[in-house]
Amino acid sequence: MEVDHGLPEDRLGKYRVPNIWDPQDLATQVAALEPAAANWAELLQTARQRFPNLEIGPLERNPVLAREPFEASIRDRVLELLQILNEYVGFRDAHGKESKQAREIIDLHFTGENARFTGESSTNQKDFKAAMVFDRSFGEGEFFAHWHGKISHRFFRVHFEWPLAGARKKLEIFYLGPKLTKN
């Protein structure tokens, strides 16, 4: 929409102002104004700020990730995957019950041939179990995180807590880096 600046008798200018009323569109517009992350640490800091329903530990300290060159295409896909997980958690009620929107996310992104999120095959779960057991950054204990978001470019993965226990209010992200089950 166009907005007049100044008094009717003394106009200082006209300005185009986007009329954004949808919260998702507004979030997208705000995210576009942020400077794009240029390395792994900046990417993870951006993700921590942008996705309040996720627990993202110090993944940038992982030496495997540190050896990998940073790429914008991977950055963009990571943010896209984390956005989906963040929305899923946000669509659960205080008791962990999934809403209709949460079920739609599961149906759209966790099932089918082109699912963005999958669990490892039973063979890979057995053969690579040690590589997929992570210490919790938030709380105590370990977690076997074989569920992952797929990034086909350079075969990167984002491993995360799944399923999310009913009492949990945030989903922990355990790993970002090259596929753990490469032979």
Side-chain angles (χ1 to χ4, degrees), residues 151-162:
I151 304 166
S152 59
H153 183 65
R154 291 189 14 220
F155 299 101
F156 261 53
R157 298 291 185 258
V158 177
H159 284 260
F160 57 93
E161 175 181 10
W162 196 261

Side-chain angles (χ1 to χ4, degrees), residues 37 39-50 56 60:
N39 57 53
W40 299 122
E42 288 177 7
L43 167 63
L44 293 163
Q45 185 58 35
T46 297
R48 288 182 193 103
Q49 292 170 351
R50 198 180 290 181
I56 304 171
E60 62 272 24

Side-chain angles (χ1 to χ4, degrees), residues 2-172:
E2 196 164 4
V3 176
D4 290 323
H5 177 65
L7 300 171
E9 61 276 0
D10 186 22
R11 292 284 180 221
L12 300 174
K14 290 183 181 255
Y15 301 94
R16 279 273 319 125
V17 177
N19 186 12
I20 304 168
W21 54 270
D22 179 67
Q24 184 62 39
D25 290 343
L26 180 60
T28 301
Q29 292 287 328
V30 169
L33 297 175
E34 295 175 352
N39 57 53
W40 299 122
E42 288 177 7
L43 167 63
L44 293 163
Q45 185 58 35
T46 297
R48 288 182 193 103
Q49 292 170 351
R50 198 180 290 181
F51 307 123
N53 298 321
L54 304 180
E55 291 178 329
I56 304 171
L59 306 181
E60 62 272 24
R61 293 185 194 157
N62 181 343
V64 174
L65 180 62
R67 287 191 299 268
E68 292 292 327
F70 182 81
E71 283 191 44
S73 61
I74 294 173
R75 173 199 62 213
D76 297 345
R77 180 67 169 181
V78 166
L79 292 172
E80 180 183 317
L81 293 172
L82 294 179
Q83 176 68 36
I84 294 166
L85 294 174
N86 187 69
E87 287 176 0
Y88 167 79
V89 178
F91 286 134
R92 291 167 29 118
D93 70 16
H95 306 290
K97 186 172 188 268
E98 294 173 338
S99 67
K100 180 182 174 200
Q101 295 99 324
R103 285 303 320 155
E104 288 172 356
I105 289 172
I106 298 294
D107 293 342
L108 186 62
H109 301 292
F110 285 72
T111 60
E113 268 188 48
N114 296 319
R116 295 177 183 201
F117 303 98
T118 61
E120 288 293 344
S121 67
S122 56
T123 301
N124 279 350
Q125 285 184 46
K126 184 177 60 118
D127 293 346
F128 297 95
K129 182 172 186 169
M132 293 183 283
V133 173
F134 301 93
D135 290 329
R136 286 192 174 275
S137 296
F138 304 90
E140 295 182 10
E142 296 179 328
F143 192 88
F144 176 49
H146 69 92
W147 276 86
H148 58 274
K150 298 177 179 182
I151 304 166
S152 59
H153 183 65
R154 291 189 14 220
F155 299 101
F156 261 53
R157 298 291 185 258
V158 177
H159 284 260
F160 57 93
E161 175 181 10
W162 196 261
L164 184 59
R168 300 254 315 141
K169 305 292 184 234
K170 294 188 176 199
L171 181 109
E172 188 164 357

